[in-house]
Amino acid sequence: MTSTMEWIRRTYDVPARHGMRIEFDGKPATIVGAGGGYLRFRIDGEKRRTVGHPCYRIVYPAIPEPVRPRGWCKHCMQDRAMTADGVMGRHHWSGRNYSGSRSYRWSKPCPGVGEPPWKPVRNLTHPGEQREATS
């Protein structure tokens, strides 16, 4: 089972994380949670939380690209490092089998190792509101 925040990162290609500082409608804010596909954040100086879509009027800080390319594993649906060949690197998985019971007592190598990723990880500041690069 994945968290809502992880689902938001995977679906909208945004780097949203709990406690991350963002800009909402030009005002500084802090992400305090997520639920139902929406982010919950607190705008500086306000008492109440605001709920907003991850791509609507939110500008995320620029995140540097990782040293090793990353992708979403088709099998475990996790953000994992890839090899230089563009396939999923070695990682472990302790998931459930189709009947819902634990298939392993301890984590085992993920069956997605060596497969191409479901999609690459991209850290967009925002698809429609990219910050201008300063020279």
Side-chain angles (χ1 to χ4, degrees):
M1 177 160 54
T2 60
S3 69
T4 303
M5 194 68 73
E6 186 174 334
W7 182 86
I8 288 171
R9 285 193 299 270
R10 183 175 64 229
T11 304
Y12 298 110
D13 289 324
V14 295
R17 302 230 182 245
H18 290 278
M20 177 181 262
R21 299 287 295 163
I22 59 172
E23 276 185 29
F24 174 72
D25 206 19
K27 301 173 200 162
T30 304
I31 297 174
V32 295
Y38 289 87
L39 291 176
R40 292 181 177 92
F41 47 90
R42 183 166 283 122
I43 297 172
D44 292 359
E46 294 186 10
K47 291 183 179 181
R48 295 181 183 257
R49 293 180 305 175
T50 304
V51 177
H53 190 275
C55 295
Y56 183 67
R57 298 191 302 180
I58 294 178
V59 178
Y60 298 90
I63 305 291
E65 289 298 318
V67 177
R68 289 180 64 186
R70 300 185 69 82
W72 294 99
C73 178
K74 287 182 187 178
H75 184 76
C76 63
M77 297 304 289
Q78 299 288 318
D79 172 6
R80 305 291 188 185
M82 298 187 320
T83 65
D85 301 330
V87 296
M88 298 309 299
R90 235 179 108 185
H91 62 277
H92 286 80
W93 176 69
S94 59
R96 297 183 179 274
N97 60 20
Y98 293 111
S99 65
S101 64
R102 283 246 174 232
S103 56
Y104 311 112
R105 180 175 175 140
W106 308 107
S107 67
K108 301 284 184 184
C110 180
V113 172
E115 300 290 325
W118 173 62
K119 74 178 197 178
V121 171
R122 298 183 307 160
N123 290 322
L124 303 176
T125 57
H126 186 281
E129 299 180 36
Q130 292 282 345
R131 290 186 177 192
E132 297 295 323
T134 56
S135 298

